[in-house]
Amino acid sequence: MSREFDRSALPPLAKVLRPPAAKPGENGYAHAVQKVRKVAKDLRREDSLPFYSMRALASALGISLRTTALVFEQLEREGLLVRLRGSHTRLTGTAPRPLKPVAGVIGLPVWLYGLRHFMFRRTFARALGDTLWPHALSVDTILYWETEDKSPDFADRLLRHHMDMAVWFQPQRHNHDAIGFLKDHGVPSLIISDRENTPGLPAHIEIDWEPAYEQVLTHWKTRHHIHRVITVEGAPATTPRLRLFETLARNHGIACERRKSSPRLAGELVADPQLTTDTAIGLFDEYASTEFPLRDPNAFLQLVDRHRVLFARELPSLPFVGPKRINCECLLYPMDAIVRHAADILLAWRSGIEKPKVITLAGEAKLDHVNYSWS
């Protein structure tokens, strides 16, 4: 049984759909589009209204239901009508509103390279959206290229997303200006960062990696008899991480040597006769930890076959590894706790409540991580 909808706000079709009918030889579809378009425009108001049924219009115009459906499709493309699946057709309002009101928009700038190669960035974006949508908060993921966030126009681009609040996951020092620009325009920023990073950008949620570093170093020393570690330095933002790790390593009696990230580094290490099996490799920069294996996959596979490797920002996507068994260590973000606390802060801000206290969460270490399939 067909459902009836309240169309009392609409005048009778006989008053709005006046002759003439289509002339002999005239395209019935084009004539119908012209007539129904005029009716829709004449009746359109600020608010959305139920529109006439296809059956009623087909009868009044003397055309088939199939032709009427094509007419509705055309007017929907023009933005005059919207057809609701399993329901009725509505005349769009001149001041349209969402079917389900949104209480706020959360802007989430995301580095496209990191989103592609690191699961934790994808996990955070997805988990934050899933946590906030029941509270009518929508997460707007704003993708940017590697150096795009250094452009003077980047802050203005963010503002054009009309966000109510912003979330920055591991912002860099050069993001300070964009964060300040948003603040000046009434958009507060929630910052999630390493405890030792981003001076001048006080975090609301900070990650303390020292306990995880201690776990890795103790594991290397006692189980794998590591006496030397080569740390790979990438972007300047990784330097505080390296300093902390190297200080802790020396406290464990492990010598440290720092190398600059380069496309040839993996091959150079494989060819180094002084690289003994008691030497481990620490990858601390997101970009470097991806490029290190991808630039020379064969050299990388030889290294991980003989040496311990620490991925300090989770494992990147390395499809060439396939089913090969690889043992390594990796550090993981406490993602459930990060998302939960971030959501609590954003909901408090929406209610006008400030939460000035910094939340400190411990990073997690995964030891003797075994991979049979990386994707």
Side-chain angles (χ1 to χ4, degrees), residues 99-170:
L99 295 177
K100 292 185 178 179
V102 175
V105 175
I106 310 299
L108 177 62
V110 176
W111 179 32
L112 189 57
Y113 183 92
L115 186 72
R116 176 185 177 187
H117 289 286
F118 284 89
M119 179 62 72
F120 73 84
R121 291 196 175 274
R122 299 195 290 271
T123 300
F124 177 73
R126 170 68 184 270
L128 186 65
D130 288 348
T131 303
L132 292 176
W133 77 260
H135 303 279
L137 291 177
S138 174
V139 174
D140 182 5
T141 303
I142 306 165
L143 302 176
Y144 63 89
W145 297 106
E146 182 181 354
T147 59
E148 188 180 357
D149 62 329
K150 296 181 179 180
S151 166
D153 299 329
F154 184 65
D156 187 59
R157 178 191 161 195
L158 295 179
L159 198 62
R160 290 199 298 270
H161 281 255
H162 303 290
M163 64 186 78
D164 299 284
M165 294 171 275
V167 175
W168 297 79
F169 195 109
Q170 297 290 356

Side-chain angles (χ1 to χ4, degrees), residues 241-254:
R241 304 172 191 167
L242 288 175
R243 287 174 181 161
L244 175 60
F245 184 83
E246 290 166 349
T247 298
L248 297 174
R250 293 187 179 100
N251 292 340
H252 282 263
I254 299 176

Side-chain angles (χ1 to χ4, degrees), residues 230 259 264-272 275 281 292 303:
I230 293 176
R259 301 278 187 94
R264 300 177 298 277
L265 182 57
E268 291 171 354
L269 291 176
V270 167
D272 187 349
L275 195 71
I281 300 166
F292 181 80
L303 283 172

Side-chain angles (χ1 to χ4, degrees), residues 6 23 75 162 168 205 222 224 253 300:
D6 182 15
K23 298 176 182 178
L75 297 185
H162 303 290
W168 297 79
I205 301 174
T222 59
H224 297 289
F300 171 75

Side-chain angles (χ1 to χ4, degrees), residues 194-244:
D194 294 344
R195 191 172 194 175
E196 69 273 15
N197 268 5
T198 56
L201 288 176
H204 300 89
I205 301 174
E206 61 179 17
I207 312 301
D208 180 9
W209 293 105
E210 184 170 343
Y213 291 165
E214 287 284 0
Q215 281 184 268
V216 171
L217 291 166
T218 301
H219 181 71
W220 279 358
K221 186 76 174 181
T222 59
R223 182 181 177 90
H224 297 289
H225 311 292
I226 299 299
H227 293 93
R228 177 179 174 229
V229 59
I230 293 176
T231 57
V232 180
E233 181 178 11
T238 65
T239 303
R241 304 172 191 167
L242 288 175
R243 287 174 181 161
L244 175 60

Side-chain angles (χ1 to χ4, degrees), residues 321-374:
V321 172
K324 182 176 177 61
R325 181 187 179 100
I326 290 183
N327 293 289
C328 61
E329 276 66 54
C330 61
L331 303 185
L332 307 175
Y333 284 95
M335 196 56 68
D336 290 344
I338 291 175
V339 172
R340 183 174 67 254
H341 286 294
D344 287 345
I345 293 172
L346 293 169
L347 290 171
W349 285 0
R350 187 186 67 169
S351 302
I353 302 172
E354 287 292 333
K355 285 197 168 185
K357 185 179 178 180
V358 177
I359 298 169
T360 301
L361 302 173
E364 301 171 358
K366 191 165 188 179
L367 308 176
D368 288 325
H369 184 93
V370 179
N371 274 284
Y372 293 94
S373 177
W374 291 11

